[in-house]
Amino acid sequence: MAELKLFRTSSSPFVLRVVWALDLKGIQYDNIFEDLSNKSSLLLQYNPIYKKVPVLVHNGKPLLESLVILEYIDEIWKQTPILPEDPSERATARFWAKFGDDKVLPSIWNAFIKQGKDQEEAIVTAQENLGCVERQLTGKKFFNGETIGLVDLAFGWLANLLSVFEEVCGVTLIDHEKFPLLLEWIQNFADAPIIKESWPPRDKLITRYQALHEVHTSKEAPK
Amino acid sequence: MAEDSVKLLGNWVSPYSLKVKWALKLKGIQYQYVEEDLQNKSPMLLQYNPVYKKIPVLVHDDKPLAESLIILEYIDEVWKQNPLLPIDPYERAKARFWAKFVDDKCVPALMAAFTKKGEEQERAVKEAHENLKILESGLEGKRFFGGETIGFVDIAAGWIGCSVQMTGEIIGINLIDAETMPLLHSWFQDFLEIPLIKECLPPQDKLLEYIKELHTKILTAAST
């Protein structure tokens, strides 16, 4: 049997994508939990450039960068495909996954760590980006259609972290009026079998992000 | 395939549209090229790429595609001749990793080296050197990232060699030198020797003028 190891933390958005992809395809693997404040020598050996998780090691060969890992998984294990077959649909999926990482995530993170006027502006940007995402869900249960795909996995962090961010910093980023489809998607994704089995416990996320919020907001001078 | 069905919206100075031109040329794909004025973007561009409003956009059978690396993968999937990505999934993953490394790590450091001054510039140059040295390791001693012939990463990264040469002249710092980066240096020389690569390059003297002007504008804006 092929040897598959996943270097991970319990709830990193990037790690969870890989966990969900492997679980959706019913692939067996060993979990190696990393303490990011004390990284193992194996992790540093497998990912010397970024020194980050996730790292998927398949038969001794390391795969890095979560979206690259997802494409690899989909190419090796053909059951339950996460990318469509049609090349233009594949390109569209890759586009939105990248948009999520390049624009949505940083803008929501900014809204989370900023204060005062900076935060107000950050929220506007985050909501503009979320508006683009909302429109992609028109007429669909998941970004991939009837089943979960690459874009759903790429945005999975939104489903478990958005409400955590909102609670920790006391702002509302998405509401039922402006983002009905996104809120519905969040519910559908969180309820999906397999996905919910690896759902990070909310109380742990609150604790973690509360601590992160304090660290970041004590650095930033309020305006 | 009829030229009408493939259209590329690009700009003559953009390395991102250059990458797509190289891929189309490598595969012998006929296409219609539309030069976009980035100070005055066409309604067509805004319609085809409403999210980023940027070039390159490849339009194939009326379907628009954006983001240069995503366009390259699409081209590779639709037109199978002269493949850009390797067949083996692990090698493909490595190629995607390096192409992303170029955009995420090399490009920002090179931009900063070009646009900053003083200590900030020194830090950026150091970071650019480090990242280029790491990129060199991705060659794994081969002539090209694609092996004996150019592939995905060569096309994704090759423009950096041209850019570094020009910006190096302007800022007086040699970022890919033969001594500290012999393999990357010779890779770039070999890459430029390839006829189809050379043929797609914008006129170099015109480009140098453009970049010089840009540099002056940036430095002036930074000091006001």
Side-chain angles (χ1 to χ4, degrees):
Chain A
M1 192 168 95
E3 194 196 59
L4 202 53
K5 284 199 252 260
L6 177 63
F7 287 77
R8 61 174 293 185
T9 54
S10 57
S11 65
S12 144
F14 306 99
V15 162
L16 284 177
R17 291 172 183 172
V18 179
V19 169
W20 286 324
L22 292 168
D23 290 350
L24 280 170
K25 288 177 181 270
I27 301 160
Q28 299 297 310
Y29 58 99
D30 292 330
N31 283 301
I32 299 173
F33 286 91
E34 285 284 329
D35 171 2
L36 296 183
S37 60
N38 186 20
K39 293 169 185 176
S40 72
S41 52
L42 258 185
L43 176 65
L44 300 178
Q45 175 197 318
Y46 281 134
N47 191 356
I49 296 173
Y50 291 112
K51 305 175 175 50
K52 282 183 179 181
V53 291
V55 176
L56 186 70
V57 183
H58 188 205
N59 292 333
K61 292 189 283 198
L63 284 309
L64 315 172
E65 296 294 285
S66 59
L67 294 180
V68 173
I69 296 173
L70 290 190
E71 296 242 18
Y72 176 83
I73 289 172
D74 213 36
E75 283 174 16
I76 298 271
W77 292 280
K78 308 282 188 195
Q79 68 275 28
T80 318
I82 57 175
L83 272 165
E85 272 187 40
D86 173 72
S88 69
E89 286 175 35
R90 291 163 76 83
T92 304
R94 288 171 178 140
F95 177 90
W96 288 107
K98 192 173 191 294
F99 179 77
D101 281 0
D102 287 354
K103 294 287 174 190
V104 181
L105 182 50
S107 65
I108 290 188
W109 181 250
N110 263 342
F112 178 64
I113 61 171
K114 303 254 181 228
Q115 293 170 281
K117 190 131 204 329
D118 283 349
Q119 188 184 44
E120 282 169 30
E121 285 168 12
I123 291 173
V124 169
T125 306
Q127 287 180 330
E128 276 166 8
N129 291 333
L130 287 167
C132 296
V133 178
E134 167 87 6
R135 287 190 281 281
Q136 295 315 302
L137 283 165
T138 309
K140 296 192 281 187
K141 182 180 182 192
F142 296 110
F143 291 100
N144 195 44
E146 277 306 300
T147 56
I148 286 171
L150 182 85
V151 182
D152 303 280
L153 297 181
F155 275 111
W157 61 270
L158 255 188
N160 57 58
L161 278 183
L162 196 61
S163 64
V164 168
F165 286 175
E166 288 178 332
E167 188 177 315
V168 167
C169 60
V171 297
T172 306
L173 276 169
I174 75 177
D175 57 77
H176 272 281
E177 224 181 277
K178 279 195 240 149
F179 301 100
L181 301 178
L182 207 46
L183 283 165
E184 210 182 305
W185 171 82
I186 286 176
Q187 203 53 57
N188 285 331
F189 188 77
D191 286 342
I194 310 280
I195 299 295
K196 65 183 178 189
E197 281 149 44
S198 293
W199 207 249
R202 190 184 160 79
D203 52 350
K204 288 219 170 92
L205 288 176
I206 295 274
T207 309
R208 175 172 156 71
Y209 284 96
Q210 218 145 41
L212 276 171
H213 189 245
E214 269 163 38
V215 165
H216 282 278
T217 50
S218 63
K219 274 194 231 162
E220 305 258 334
K223 286 202 179 126
Chain B
M1 199 157 267
E3 191 189 281
D4 296 343
S5 75
V6 184
K7 193 159 38 190
L8 173 63
L9 280 68
N11 181 273
W12 73 280
V13 309
S14 161
Y16 299 93
S17 59
L18 181 58
K19 287 186 226 175
V20 180
K21 280 187 197 164
W22 279 334
L24 292 167
K25 186 119 185 147
L26 182 66
K27 290 188 180 259
I29 300 161
Q30 301 292 312
Y31 64 98
Q32 185 202 349
Y33 178 71
V34 178
E35 174 74 16
E36 280 286 331
D37 174 0
L38 298 181
Q39 308 308 318
N40 187 22
K41 293 173 183 176
S42 72
M44 185 169 60
L45 174 59
L46 302 178
Q47 177 203 324
Y48 280 141
N49 191 358
V51 173
Y52 289 111
K53 306 175 176 50
K54 283 185 177 178
I55 53 93
V57 173
L58 188 77
V59 187
H60 181 211
D61 290 338
D62 290 321
K63 285 182 285 199
L65 302 137
E67 296 296 286
S68 59
L69 294 182
I70 292 175
I71 294 172
L72 291 190
E73 292 231 32
Y74 175 83
I75 289 171
D76 211 32
E77 285 174 13
V78 174
W79 292 278
K80 308 283 189 195
Q81 67 275 26
N82 296 338
L84 300 176
L85 277 166
I87 296 179
D88 174 71
Y90 185 66
E91 295 299 317
R92 290 162 76 84
K94 280 204 296 196
R96 288 177 176 130
F97 172 85
W98 285 114
K100 192 171 193 295
F101 180 81
V102 166
D103 279 357
D104 289 353
K105 290 288 178 187
C106 298
V107 173
L110 291 168
M111 287 293 287
F114 181 62
T115 57
K116 306 286 177 197
K117 284 187 289 192
E119 260 183 56
E120 262 193 283
Q121 188 184 45
E122 277 172 36
R123 274 199 301 270
V125 166
K126 185 167 181 286
E127 197 184 324
H129 262 133
E130 281 165 6
N131 290 336
L132 288 168
K133 196 79 190 130
I134 293 173
L135 180 62
E136 187 180 56
S137 73
L139 267 171
E140 295 173 350
K142 299 180 296 204
R143 188 169 177 227
F144 296 113
F145 288 94
E148 276 307 300
T149 54
I150 59 171
F152 190 72
V153 183
D154 301 282
I155 291 188
W159 67 272
I160 284 185
C162 309
S163 167
V164 151
Q165 237 175 23
M166 278 198 190
T167 57
E169 264 181 60
I170 296 169
I171 65 174
I173 301 169
N174 185 7
L175 284 158
I176 298 184
D177 71 273
E179 231 177 86
T180 54
M181 288 180 226
L183 298 176
L184 203 65
H185 187 260
S186 57
W187 159 75
F188 170 60
Q189 304 299 320
D190 288 347
F191 182 72
L192 262 204
E193 285 301 302
I194 298 169
L196 78 90
I197 297 299
K198 262 199 294 215
E199 278 157 29
C200 294
L201 290 176
Q204 297 291 282
D205 45 0
K206 222 176 138 201
L207 187 61
L208 183 61
E209 272 319 298
Y210 176 87
I211 295 179
K212 273 189 185 151
E213 270 175 42
L214 184 63
H215 190 241
T216 310
K217 269 191 220 156
I218 290 171
L219 289 188
T220 314
S223 26
T224 49

